């Protein structure tokens, strides 16, 4: 899931690249306005912006994986080493 622009975010280059790469990897994506429980039930949660991609470790009492194959793939988009 990723938030629609109606949620107040800005469409950026990294978001566009992540969505494109997810489609290439056949990762199912859904844009929308989601409830807190949707996020709390996720396997992995991350944020992205001009500074990079950051894994979310914990929201309330819910712990998330901080390393995941999806995040590894998406980080390759900004790692030019």
């Amino acid at each position: 899931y990723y938030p629609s622009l109606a949620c107040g975010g800005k469409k950026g280059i990294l978001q566009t690249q992540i969505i494109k790469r997810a489609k290439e990897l056949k990762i199912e994506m859904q844009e929308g306005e989601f409830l807190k429980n949707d996020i709390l039930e996720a396997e992995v949660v991350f944020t992205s912006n001009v500074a990079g991609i950051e894994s979310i470790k914990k929201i309330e009492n819910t712990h998330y994986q901080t390393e995941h194959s999806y995040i590894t793939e998406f980080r390759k988009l900004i790692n030019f080493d």
Side-chain angles (χ1 to χ4, degrees), residues 1-71:
Y1 298 128
Y2 62 98
S4 73
L5 297 178
C7 295
K10 301 280 187 206
K11 186 157 186 81
I13 294 169
L14 184 54
Q15 178 192 32
T16 301
Q17 290 179 336
I18 288 171
I19 292 167
K20 179 181 175 191
R21 185 67 180 133
K23 288 178 181 177
E24 293 169 355
L25 295 170
K26 301 198 182 332
I27 298 170
E28 187 177 330
M29 304 272 301
Q30 184 176 344
E31 178 181 0
E33 297 178 33
F34 304 100
L35 301 173
K36 179 173 73 172
N37 284 342
D38 296 320
I39 297 169
L40 293 175
E41 293 175 4
E43 179 180 345
V44 62
V45 178
F46 66 92
T47 63
S48 66
N49 60 30
V50 69
I53 297 171
E54 285 296 322
S55 299
I56 303 297
K57 296 177 184 176
K58 180 180 172 185
I59 299 175
E60 294 181 348
N61 294 323
T62 304
H63 294 266
Y64 300 98
Q65 297 180 40
T66 55
E67 293 302 321
H68 190 280
S69 60
Y70 295 168
I71 294 173

